[in-house]
Each structure stands twice: as structure tokens, then as C-alpha cells.
Amino acid sequence: GMHFLNSNFNDSVIVLNSKPGEADKKEHRKDILGTMDDQEILEWSSEHYKDYVFAVFLAVCILDCQVYEDILQMGNELQDILRGRKNEEASDGDNWNYKSKMQETLGLIEYRDRIYVRGLEQETDFLRLPSHEQSGYYIRLFIKEFPNLKLMLGPYLVSKIFDTCKNKRNYLIVGGCTEALANIGNEDVVFFNVEILPLFFRKRTTEADYCLAMLLKQMYLMEQNREYVIKCAEQWGRITSNPHYPLTVLYLCGMLKNQEDFVWGVWDLLLNTLMKEIIDGRIFAENSYYVNLLEFFRSGNRELSYYKGVVHAFYNKIKKMRKERKREEVNILGSLFLMFVLN
């Protein structure tokens, strides 16, 4: 049967510790990440959840080690959601909205790094938590202790992924959002399964499939719900009525690497579906697998074991069709394999 092997992927994280600041009056606490325990942070968050500084706290947990301006923009968007407002004027609470005060209050670390703008290397400000592990930790803590937060945060993150892919194609932001969604999934997999997954498949685009694969990869590597990811992949890999399900699985296999047997199993069923569409003259029908053929070919992202699995699927399918003397199927498979090699 199809099964996953353990991934060899490891995240390298450099951990820096900020210097704890001295306690100040309540509305201007310093370095809360370095001086408060979980209970105190929850109490502070409950008091300040409509303030810009808390929205930035959430934003930096999502976009840790990313461009400062992107984090501030996400902070603005999250504050509007938390306040339930649109296009309203800022209130007195927004006077926290300047960089040095937020860094001092939260205990964040600002640094300079380089990015590419239209092919040109530029220096810009970045922002990070004292430790990257804090990003997922606090998202899970907030989801656990403030159950309603996931109802607002989950759909926002999915929408942010789609908007970013459409307008900027900034996969750093997409990666931060998928990691945050993975942490939500690890804390509440029922909510993730019922409310988050359908938002991706509803789009019916290969970009949405790829981003969902990124998200599932994050959940797989976090291990807590690894069996859930494997079960999704096993079920979706067998679906023959919607190409976006097996395509997501194949993207995932290419990202995880060393999934040759699983790829083989998915492609074995995929070739059956493709042959049937071609023979029945339904290659341009709604939900046609043939229309997405190039994406199926490229989904392995040049990962060697992935393409070994594809070759094995073709070889064994052609061998079987020849044995059964099904010449039309053999010719179709030969043409498909040639297209695969050329692409």
C-alpha cells in the first residue's frame, strides 16, 4: 500500500535572547515576552486585544523574521478584524503605533537584512521574536485559551495566502501564514478539517493546491498530527473525480522527498483516469485531469525519488497493458510518457 517515509527535512533556527526590560506601568509594560509568564501574557492580551500592539504581537508570531513593513501591515489588518471595524478612524488606543514603543513593550528584535526588489539588492528592516519557537507556541496558546480567535484568524490567514499569491507572490509571507495555520491545526484538528481545508479546495486552482501542500508539510513535520496528514494523503490520492486532490498530494510528496512508493501508487491510479478521459473524449470536460497534465508532470519539483516513482508507475502500467494486449492504452501511455519526459 501507499505509505510515507520519514522526512529528512530539518529547520535551522538561530535563537537570540533579548535583554529583559524593567517593569513599567501597566499600559506601558516593557519586554513582556521576557518578563511575563503565560498567565500574565494571557491577562495582558485579554486587556489589550483591541490595541494595535496586540495585533502586531499576533502578526510577528505569524511573520517572524520577516520584513518590518509587512508585519506592520498585517498588524493593521488584524486590528481591524479584532475590532470588527472597516475603514474607521484610529482611536486613542492606536497611539501605540510607532516602532520603538512596540519593540520595547513586546521585547522584539529589529535587525537589518537584504531583500531583492526588481532584481536589485536592497537593505531593509526586519523584525523577530527572541526565539522562533515562540511564534508557534503563542499561536497555539492563544487558540487554546481564546477559542473565538481561530474563527477570525483562520479565514484571514487563508485569504492572506490567496491575496499574496495573486498580487505579490511573496512566498515568505505565504510560508508564515501556512506555518500559523499548521499550528492552529495542531491545536484544533477538528476545526482545521471542517473550516480550513474546504477554503483551499473551493478555489479549484493549482496555486491553492500548492499552498495547501505547503501547509500540510508544516503539519507533517510538526509530528503531532502526522497521522492525520498521512490519512488525508491516502484518501485524496485515490480520488478520480477532482484533480486538485491528487495534485495536492503529489505537491506534498515532492516537498517531503523520499516518497517514491507513495508517488507510484498515486500515479498508477492517475494514469487510469487519464487513459479513460482520453478514450472517452473527455479531456476538456469540467474537472478534467488532462487539463492539469503539465502541473501533474511538474509537481515533483525536480525531486529525484518523486520522478522514480512516476517512471515505475508508467513502466508497470505499460507492461500490464501489453500483457493484456490493449494496444490503444499502450499507445496512449507511450504518448503521455513522452510528454512527461519533454516537460
Side-chain angles (χ1 to χ4, degrees):
M2 298 183 290
H3 65 282
F4 273 90
L5 299 176
N6 289 330
S7 170
N8 293 325
F9 181 88
N10 289 304
D11 286 320
S12 297
V13 177
I14 300 175
V15 179
L16 300 177
N17 294 315
S18 62
K19 295 181 180 179
E22 296 178 1
D24 206 339
K25 55 185 179 180
K26 182 177 180 180
E27 62 271 23
H28 295 297
R29 289 292 299 265
K30 295 183 179 180
D31 190 14
I32 68 170
L33 294 175
T35 60
M36 288 186 179
D37 59 24
D38 286 355
Q39 185 61 37
E40 291 173 316
I41 287 179
L42 289 171
E43 291 174 0
W44 178 90
S45 299
S46 181
E47 294 172 3
H48 293 281
Y49 79 97
K50 288 187 176 182
D51 293 338
Y52 185 70
V53 68
F54 177 70
V56 170
F57 185 8
L58 277 180
V60 77
C61 285
I62 297 165
L63 301 181
D64 187 34
C65 301
Q66 296 202 32
V67 176
Y68 211 138
E69 290 302 318
D70 291 336
I71 293 172
L72 296 183
Q73 179 182 344
M74 180 174 282
N76 286 325
E77 295 166 357
L78 287 171
Q79 188 185 27
D80 286 343
I81 293 173
L82 292 168
R83 287 188 168 189
R85 72 180 190 190
K86 291 184 178 179
N87 301 320
E88 295 180 7
E89 293 185 1
S91 68
D92 291 340
D94 290 332
N95 60 16
W96 293 67
N97 189 0
Y98 61 97
K99 292 166 67 174
S100 60
K101 175 59 68 176
M102 289 186 299
Q103 289 172 221
E104 181 184 77
T105 301
L106 295 171
L108 304 175
I109 300 170
E110 181 182 1
Y111 63 98
R112 301 281 289 179
D113 207 340
R114 296 177 180 180
I115 61 172
Y116 286 93
V117 180
R118 298 188 181 275
L120 300 176
E121 193 176 85
Q122 303 286 339
E123 275 202 354
T124 190
D125 293 332
F126 283 69
L127 194 63
R128 62 169 300 174
L129 295 162
S131 166
H132 181 65
E133 285 81 358
Q134 290 175 306
S135 62
Y137 178 81
Y138 285 119
I139 288 174
R140 292 191 299 272
L141 178 66
F142 291 149
I143 294 301
K144 179 181 179 180
E145 296 295 336
F146 304 124
N148 287 337
L149 180 61
K150 64 176 177 284
L151 302 178
M152 298 178 283
L153 190 58
Y156 164 77
L157 290 169
V158 176
S159 177
K160 184 72 172 179
I161 288 171
F162 295 152
D163 290 344
T164 303
C165 288
K166 180 179 179 181
N167 299 317
K168 294 183 179 180
R169 291 183 178 272
N170 185 333
Y171 283 100
L172 286 175
I173 293 178
V174 172
C177 292
T178 56
E179 184 174 351
L181 284 168
N183 279 295
I184 292 175
N186 278 340
E187 187 57 42
D188 191 340
V189 72
V190 175
F191 170 81
F192 179 86
N193 188 68
V194 174
E195 300 294 337
I196 300 301
L197 285 184
L199 297 178
F200 284 92
F201 287 122
R202 208 170 289 158
K203 296 292 287 187
R204 294 180 178 270
T205 66
T206 56
E207 282 190 336
D209 301 338
Y210 186 84
C211 292
L212 178 55
M214 290 177 62
L215 166 53
L216 293 173
K217 171 193 167 187
Q218 294 283 359
M219 290 187 69
Y220 183 85
L221 296 177
M222 290 176 182
E223 296 189 1
Q224 181 176 337
N225 283 306
R226 177 170 289 187
E227 289 301 318
Y228 168 79
V229 175
I230 294 172
K231 187 59 66 176
C232 285
E234 290 174 344
Q235 293 173 355
W236 297 347
R238 296 187 177 95
I239 290 178
T240 60
S241 58
N242 187 330
H244 297 287
Y245 286 94
L247 183 55
T248 299
V249 174
L250 292 174
Y251 280 138
L252 177 61
C253 290
M255 293 175 187
L256 289 176
K257 304 180 180 180
N258 301 317
Q259 306 299 332
E260 180 180 336
D261 290 342
F262 199 93
V263 170
W264 181 351
V266 175
W267 265 93
D268 182 71
L269 296 174
L270 181 59
L271 291 175
N272 290 338
T273 305
L274 288 167
M275 285 191 296
K276 183 172 176 52
E277 285 184 351
I278 294 170
I279 292 172
D280 294 345
R282 296 188 299 103
I283 60 175
F284 297 115
E286 185 179 2
N287 281 335
S288 165
Y289 281 52
Y290 187 85
V291 170
N292 294 284
L293 189 58
L294 288 181
E295 285 300 323
F296 280 116
F297 286 158
R298 297 168 180 170
S299 56
N301 198 28
R302 300 182 181 179
E303 204 279 308
L304 179 60
S305 66
Y306 176 95
Y307 290 106
K308 287 173 65 178
V310 177
V311 170
H312 284 149
F314 269 104
Y315 174 80
N316 283 275
K317 188 66 68 179
I318 291 172
K319 183 179 178 181
K320 180 181 179 182
M321 293 298 104
R322 281 179 174 169
K323 186 176 181 180
E324 297 175 1
R325 298 187 178 182
K326 295 182 177 180
R327 293 184 179 180
E328 184 178 9
E329 285 82 351
V330 171
N331 290 334
I332 291 172
L333 289 168
S335 298
L336 290 173
F337 185 74
L338 180 61
M339 294 170 65
F340 168 70
V341 171
L342 294 176
N343 285 279

